[in-house]
Amino acid sequence: MDNILATAISELNEEKTIELVKRSLDKGTKPFQILKYLQEGVKKVGELFESGEYYVGELIMAGIIFNEVLNLDVMKSSVSSNYSECIGTILLGTIENDIHDIGKDIFKSMALVEGFHVIDLGTDVKKEIFLKKTKELHPDIVGISGLITSAVNPISELIQLFESEGLRNQVKIIIGGNTMDEKTCHSVGADDFVHDAELGVQKCVSWIKQAR
Ligand code: B12
């Protein structure tokens, strides 16, 4: 990996990761770029797990370090000072039965940096909650994360619920996570899918622009 911040998080070096984030922000590196480096490092952790070099403990540790960075005051203030007006609202959550949240949180941070208002429902979110919050909060976009194969059915059922409640035309729906592909996207009835948070944010921005 080229970047030292990505390497620090992939090596689970908490102190160095935090130090590098603070230093990079001081030097004027954009929060969006920092998130991209962190994403690169976390992806590497996933690969090391799959190749048997890392175990579950290491995965959990990577998640903890990542969240610590997001919760740094300096990171939070850089994210919020980056925009002056809200460009649109995204209702976001990881679908029921699924507790993976690192990718969802990366997307959330990048969307915040881009000027979206993001309502994060968390993980293992029941379809009924997505529906209730959509009715209450009228988001422009619903973002659904799903990393395990058994996330696909609940996503499909959720989108059917949106249809039957007459809400489907009022929101764009984007799904994210490595399980998602073109075929799944089509079969569940989402508007688009991504494996990459940055691309996801770009798609959301273009939907907002089209709607205006
Ligand atoms: C980390 C991890 C965990 C951690 C999760 C920690 C956390 N806080 O999230 C822990 C250890 C808890 C875990 C648990 C389990 N895991 Co797991 N896990 C992973 C792992 C290694 C990495 C996932 C990750 O964080 N990747 C890094 C992020 C940055 O990538 P990402 O999630 O794809 O997100 C990016 C994009 O997809 C996108 N994105 C993601 N969400 C969204 C949403 C929107 C709206 C948008 C626009 C974009 C977007 O943006 C992100 C950044 O670019 C993957 C393997 C892998 N390589 O993917 C397995 C993996 C997902 N896990 C798997 C499994 C099976 C499990 C368990 C069932 C294991 C078990 N037997 O108990 C449990 C799940 C329990 C449950 N009910 O959910 C399988 C799923 C297989 C499948 N097809 O069903 C995988 C693929 C591993 C494998 N090969 O077997 N896991």
Side-chain angles (χ1 to χ4, degrees), residues 72-92:
L72 285 174
D73 285 344
V74 62
M75 192 70 188
K76 279 190 192 158
S77 61
S78 306
V79 168
S80 58
S81 63
N82 201 47
Y83 60 93
S84 50
E85 58 170 310
C86 164
I87 65 163
T89 301
I90 303 176
L91 182 70
L92 178 67

Side-chain angles (χ1 to χ4, degrees), residues 13-135:
N13 190 332
E14 188 178 3
E15 220 172 291
K16 192 168 173 192
T17 304
I18 289 173
E19 185 52 42
L20 286 170
V21 168
K22 287 182 179 165
R23 223 190 297 156
S24 306
L25 286 169
D26 269 356
K27 279 200 207 144
T29 308
K30 297 260 179 290
F32 200 85
Q33 186 58 50
I34 289 178
L35 291 167
K36 280 170 71 171
Y37 293 142
L38 291 171
Q39 167 185 295
E40 197 189 322
V42 175
K43 281 226 153 115
K44 179 75 188 168
V45 172
E47 285 161 23
L48 290 169
F49 171 74
E50 297 206 309
S51 67
E53 251 178 272
Y54 276 0
Y55 297 96
V56 172
E58 274 97 350
L59 295 180
I60 294 172
M61 191 60 203
I64 292 173
I65 300 176
F66 178 72
N67 273 313
E68 259 183 70
V69 171
L70 291 188
N71 284 320
L72 285 174
D73 285 344
V74 62
M75 192 70 188
K76 279 190 192 158
S77 61
S78 306
V79 168
S80 58
S81 63
N82 201 47
Y83 60 93
S84 50
E85 58 170 310
C86 164
I87 65 163
T89 301
I90 303 176
L91 182 70
L92 178 67
T94 302
I95 195 70
E96 61 191 56
N97 304 331
D98 194 338
I99 57 156
H100 295 87
D101 62 2
I102 298 175
K104 167 184 76 62
D105 289 347
I106 293 179
F107 171 69
K108 174 183 169 181
S109 309
M110 287 187 167
L112 283 170
V113 170
E114 227 23 59
F116 280 99
H117 173 46
V118 184
I119 304 146
D120 184 2
L121 300 176
T123 60
D124 190 13
V125 181
K126 302 271 166 286
K127 300 180 281 282
E128 296 70 23
I129 303 291
F130 269 107
L131 192 69
K132 181 170 170 270
K133 292 290 174 190
T134 301
K135 285 180 179 167

Side-chain angles (χ1 to χ4, degrees), residues 144-149 151-152 155 159 173-196 203:
I144 310 167
S145 190
L147 264 77
I148 52 177
T149 311
V152 175
I155 294 178
I159 299 178
I173 300 181
I174 186 161
I175 54 178
N178 277 338
T179 334
M180 305 305 160
D181 56 22
E182 183 124 32
K183 202 169 148 218
T184 311
C185 177
H186 185 73
S187 74
V188 301
D191 292 298
D192 220 327
F193 77 98
V194 283
H195 292 166
D196 179 271
K203 293 196 173 188

